[in-house]
Amino acid sequence: MPEATVKKTNTVKKKPVTKRRKRERTIKGDCDYVFLLTVFSLLVIGIIMMFSASYAWAISEGKEGSYYASRQAMFAAGGLILMYIFSKIDYQIYKTPAIAISAYIIPLFFLILVLIIGTTDGGAQRWINLGVFQFQPSELMKIGIVIMYSYLIERNYDRMNTVKYGILPYMALLGIVAVLLMMQPHLSATIIISFLCIVLMFIGGTKIWHMIVVGLVGVAGIVGMVLYKLLVEGYGYFMVRIKVWLDPFSDIQGDSWQSAQSLIAIGSGGFFGLGLGESRQKYLYLPESKNDFVFSIVCEELGFVGALTVILLFVLLVFRGIYIAKRAQDKFGMLVAVGLTMHIGIQALLNIAVVSGFIMNTGISLPFFSYGGTALLLQLSEMGIVLNISRKRYRPEPNKNKSGKTSSENNSKGGKPDDYVKMDA
C-alpha cells in the first residue's frame, strides 16, 4: 500500500504531546528583585530603628541626636554602591585559584595583625583602627571562608565522601581561624563561621558520620574554651555568666542589668508596641541599644507585630537566597549563594536569641540594624554577590522538533504542527 500523509484538522487545537528533555541553558537577565527589595526593606527599617535607639545615647555623649544614624546612613549609601558594583561583577572570577585563596589569606593576615596592633574594647582586641573608622577582620573572614570553601568543594566535589578531601582541609582552615578568633577573644564570630563551614560541608557532600566527627571535635573545642575561661578568668566569672543567663533578674543592679533591661523592653512592647520613637529603655537604661540590643527597641516600639515583620523579612531573605542557589549556574555559585545568605540568617537568629535570653550574651550584632559601618558595607557587598549569581541561572530549554524549531516557532511560520502524524493507507 502506498504511504499517505494525513493532516489533522485545525478545528480543535490539542496540546502537543512531546517528551520533556532535561537539557538546560544559561539565562542571563535581571537580578532577583524579590531578594533586592527584601534587602532594601531590612536596610531602611534598620536605619530608622537604629536612629531611634541611638538618639538618647548620642545626646548623652555630647553629640547631635542624629550622629549615629547619619553615619550609618552614610555607610548604607556606600554599601548600596558596593552592592550595585558587586552585582555587576561576574561571580565566576572568585573561583579562580588566586582570588579564592586570597579571599582566605588576606583576612587571615588581618586576624594575625589585630592581635598585634588591634584596639581593645570591652576586654576584646577585635578592631583595627584605620583613622577614619575601625573594622573587624572577622567580618571579612566570614566572606573569605565562604569563597574558599566553595572553591575547594566544587574542585573536590566527586571526592567529598573521603576524609582526605571532604574533612581534613576544611577542618584545618577552620581550626586556624577559630584559634585566632578565640585569642581576641571573639566567641560570636567563631560560632557563626563554624556554622557556615558545617552548612557548606553538608551541602557539598561530606558524609554524615564524618560530620558527626566534626561535631564531636567542635564540642571538644567548646569544652576546651570553657576550661580556658575557668583557668584564666576564674570559676566565679563563669558561674556569674551562667547565673545571669538562667535568671536575668538575679542581680538586676549588677551583672544581669543588661539582660534584664532587654527583657523589660521586649515585654513593654506588647502586641502593637509603644509607638515609633516612644521607647523608654533607650534612655540610658539599656546598654548597647544601638548595637547588639537594637532588636529589643524594635520589640518595645513596634511590638510583636513589628518584631514578627522583621523576623519574617530575614526568613524571606534566607529562603530567597536558597531559591537563587538552587537555580545557580554551577556548584560554586550555589555554594556561595547559600553561604552568604546563611551568614545573614544565622547571625540574625543568634542575635535575636541573645536579646530574648535564649542563649548567653556573646556580643552578636543584628545585620542591617546594629550600628557599625564596615560590617554594613561588607554585608551589602555580600548581597551584591548573591544578586550577581541570580543574574545567571539555568532554565529548561523549550522542546524542539526534528527541524530544530520550537513548537511555537513552527506554527507561527506555517510549518507542520507537532501533532502531524503519518498513517499507513
Side-chain angles (χ1 to χ4, degrees):
M1 295 291 289
E3 186 178 308
T5 58
V6 179
K7 190 173 182 180
K8 291 183 178 180
T9 59
N10 294 327
T11 54
V12 179
K13 292 185 178 180
K14 295 182 179 180
K15 294 182 179 180
V17 180
T18 56
K19 294 182 179 180
R20 293 184 179 179
R21 301 183 181 183
K22 295 182 179 180
R23 293 180 300 173
E24 293 179 328
R25 60 194 177 104
T26 302
I27 303 295
K28 295 182 180 180
D30 295 331
C31 64
D32 192 294
Y33 288 112
V34 175
F35 187 85
L36 176 62
L37 289 175
T38 305
V39 172
F40 188 74
S41 299
L42 285 169
L43 182 63
V44 171
I45 297 173
I47 293 175
I48 293 173
M49 294 310 305
M50 205 281 297
F51 168 63
S52 177
S54 65
Y55 188 87
W57 283 97
I59 293 178
S60 70
E61 296 170 358
K63 303 181 179 72
E64 291 289 334
S66 60
Y67 173 79
Y68 291 110
S70 59
R71 285 179 60 85
Q72 189 79 340
M74 179 184 67
F75 281 110
L80 289 173
I81 294 173
L82 286 176
M83 184 172 71
Y84 174 79
I85 293 173
F86 279 102
S87 71
K88 294 293 186 180
I89 298 175
D90 188 353
Y91 75 91
Q92 297 285 341
I93 194 175
Y94 308 122
K95 67 190 297 185
T96 58
I99 295 180
I101 295 172
S102 298
Y104 177 82
I105 295 296
I106 293 175
L108 191 68
F109 168 76
F110 283 114
L111 285 177
I112 297 172
L113 188 64
V114 75
L115 297 174
I116 303 171
I117 64 170
T119 58
T120 303
D121 186 13
Q125 193 171 340
R126 305 175 183 174
W127 292 266
I128 293 179
N129 194 339
L130 299 179
V132 180
F133 59 89
Q134 300 183 111
F135 87 100
Q136 295 186 44
S138 59
E139 296 294 329
L140 197 59
M141 179 55 78
K142 293 172 185 176
I143 304 175
I145 204 161
V146 167
I147 293 175
M148 185 63 177
Y149 265 52
S150 301
Y151 164 74
L152 289 176
I153 291 173
E154 186 191 50
R155 186 176 181 180
N156 301 312
Y157 188 76
D158 295 332
R159 298 176 289 185
M160 285 295 293
N161 58 349
T162 64
V163 174
K164 182 178 179 180
Y165 295 98
I167 289 289
L168 294 182
Y170 308 101
M171 290 186 66
L173 294 173
L174 176 59
I176 295 171
V177 172
V179 169
L180 292 174
L181 287 173
M182 290 309 300
M183 290 176 68
Q184 298 181 10
H186 201 344
L187 180 59
S188 61
T190 306
I191 294 172
I192 292 171
I193 291 176
S194 298
F195 268 117
L196 289 177
C197 294
I198 291 173
V199 168
L200 291 174
M201 290 172 65
F202 178 76
I203 296 175
T206 301
K207 284 186 175 180
I208 297 297
W209 73 271
H210 289 170
M211 298 296 298
I212 294 174
V213 172
V214 173
L216 293 175
V217 172
V219 171
I222 294 174
V223 172
M225 288 186 288
V226 171
L227 293 175
Y228 173 79
K229 287 283 186 181
L230 291 176
L231 292 174
V232 175
E233 299 176 353
Y235 180 78
Y237 172 82
F238 181 74
M239 291 306 298
V240 166
R241 295 291 298 271
I242 295 294
K243 184 178 180 181
V244 168
W245 174 50
L246 295 176
D247 185 4
F249 295 91
S250 59
D251 186 14
I252 196 171
Q253 295 295 326
D255 295 314
S256 65
W257 172 266
Q258 187 177 47
S259 299
Q261 296 303 320
S262 175
L263 294 179
I264 291 172
I266 294 173
S268 300
F271 197 78
F272 293 106
L274 302 178
L276 183 62
E278 299 299 322
S279 166
R280 295 187 290 264
Q281 299 306 114
K282 69 181 179 182
Y283 289 103
L284 311 187
Y285 289 102
L286 177 61
E288 301 295 333
S289 60
K290 66 181 182 298
N291 292 323
D292 300 346
F293 284 79
V294 65
F295 187 75
S296 301
I297 306 302
V298 173
C299 295
E300 186 179 11
E301 295 189 351
L302 305 183
F304 173 80
V305 174
L308 182 61
T309 301
V310 171
I311 292 173
L312 290 178
L313 283 173
F314 277 113
V315 171
L316 176 60
L317 182 75
V318 171
F319 274 91
R320 199 64 187 182
I322 294 174
Y323 172 80
I324 292 171
K326 288 175 63 178
R327 294 162 61 88
Q329 184 179 4
D330 52 17
K331 291 183 179 67
F332 178 79
M334 179 267 291
L335 290 165
V336 171
V338 169
L340 297 181
T341 305
M342 290 303 295
H343 162 221
I344 302 298
I346 291 171
Q347 188 162 325
L349 174 64
L350 293 177
N351 174 270
I352 294 171
V354 166
V355 302
S356 56
F358 282 101
I359 62 176
M360 287 189 292
N361 186 1
T362 56
I364 300 177
S365 61
L366 184 62
F368 309 120
F369 281 72
S370 296
Y371 178 72
T374 53
L376 185 59
L377 289 174
L378 292 174
Q379 288 161 8
L380 290 173
S381 298
E382 293 178 62
M383 299 301 96
I385 296 174
V386 177
L387 287 172
N388 179 261
I389 295 172
S390 73
R391 290 179 182 274
K392 296 183 179 181
R393 51 195 179 271
Y394 275 149
R395 280 184 183 171
E397 283 189 347
N399 292 314
K400 297 179 181 181
N401 53 30
K402 293 181 180 180
S403 64
K405 296 179 181 179
T406 63
S407 301
S408 59
E409 289 175 345
N410 203 20
N411 292 331
S412 63
K413 293 182 180 180
K416 297 177 180 179
D418 287 335
D419 55 4
Y420 178 84
V421 296
K422 288 184 178 182
M423 296 183 65
D424 291 333

